Amino acid sequence: LGEAAPTVPPKAPRATTSLYKVALGGTIAAQGTPVSELWKTGALVVVVRRPGCALCREQAYALSEAFQAVVASQGLPGMPRLVAVVRTSARGEDGSSEVDAFREYFQGDVYVDQFLAFFKALGDRQYTDGVFSQGAARWMLQRMAGMQRVQVSGNFVGGPDTALKFGGCFVFDRDGAVRFAHQEGRSSIDYEALRAALSKV
């Protein structure tokens, strides 16, 4: 196995960038939500490469579990939020919403990041960047182990422009500072460090 592509340190996207909430059925809100609204009470933001991907769904499920282990009631005022951002609210061949299917594995709100602000904040990396590195192998093994534990369905809907953009996750404090970040394909997720960061938000 080789080395991964040079690391671009994750950073918070611009606070004024707008995201668009996805309702049940896949309808996208016409009015945007500033990114700063997401972390106003702290947040775990899951950046989803493709909501129909089985690996992405398993990763979202595992991150949801880690979040719920620390934050028992995210709906209460002042509590941190669990949020996913996707590139598009895609539909399957039968017209069903991929985001609706994704929600079976993820308990937070879902937003479309049409400007790819979070993907760029994670280094704007492609799936082919270092995919044969040791770090990518550890990440893939972690996903495969998770899929053995949880039965996850998925599909291959979406071309390379939507399917190959690496995601990851962030923990933001209430000031928008990054307290934890994971770049997909660089290494396995350190859930202990993620939970520790959440506990201090």
Side-chain angles (χ1 to χ4, degrees):
L1 294 175
E3 296 297 323
T7 301
V8 177
K11 60 183 180 180
R14 298 180 68 171
T16 55
T17 300
S18 289
L19 303 177
Y20 297 83
K21 192 171 184 178
V22 184
L24 290 175
T27 303
I28 302 173
Q31 184 172 353
T33 299
V35 165
S36 58
E37 282 293 309
L38 302 187
W39 61 55
K40 188 164 59 175
T41 57
L44 168 57
V45 178
V46 182
V47 185
V48 182
R49 179 163 50 86
R50 190 172 63 81
C53 167
L55 293 175
C56 300
R57 290 176 176 181
E58 183 282 323
Q59 182 166 273
Y61 182 88
L63 289 168
S64 294
E65 282 192 323
F67 179 87
Q68 291 163 359
V70 178
V71 184
S73 302
Q74 66 159 325
L76 295 177
M79 299 297 286
R81 295 181 62 186
L82 176 63
V83 174
V85 295
V86 298
R87 296 189 64 183
T88 179
S89 179
R91 295 191 177 275
E93 294 179 356
D94 61 355
S96 61
S97 167
E98 286 203 348
V99 170
D100 279 357
F102 173 79
R103 293 184 202 272
E104 296 180 27
Y105 309 96
F106 186 79
Q107 301 303 311
D109 293 325
V110 181
Y111 291 81
V112 168
D113 180 9
Q114 70 177 42
F115 302 109
L116 306 185
F118 279 92
F119 294 89
K120 293 173 182 176
L122 284 168
D124 200 23
R125 297 172 52 245
Q126 299 293 325
Y127 192 78
T128 50
D129 292 344
V131 70
F132 297 112
S133 69
Q134 293 180 9
R138 288 192 293 270
W139 170 73
M140 183 64 74
L141 287 171
Q142 187 180 51
R143 304 281 63 78
M144 293 174 67
M147 292 178 70
Q148 291 291 321
R149 183 174 63 91
V150 180
Q151 295 299 312
V152 180
S153 63
N155 59 51
F156 297 95
V157 175
D161 59 324
T162 59
L164 298 182
K165 182 73 71 175
F166 263 136
C169 68
F170 289 97
V171 173
F172 295 103
D173 67 17
R174 297 165 191 249
D175 296 319
V178 177
R179 297 303 179 186
F180 174 89
H182 176 262
Q183 293 169 297
E184 239 182 25
R186 286 221 166 270
S187 65
S188 56
I189 300 172
D190 186 340
Y191 292 109
E192 184 176 349
L194 183 150
R195 288 190 294 267
L198 272 172
S199 69
K200 297 175 183 177
V201 168

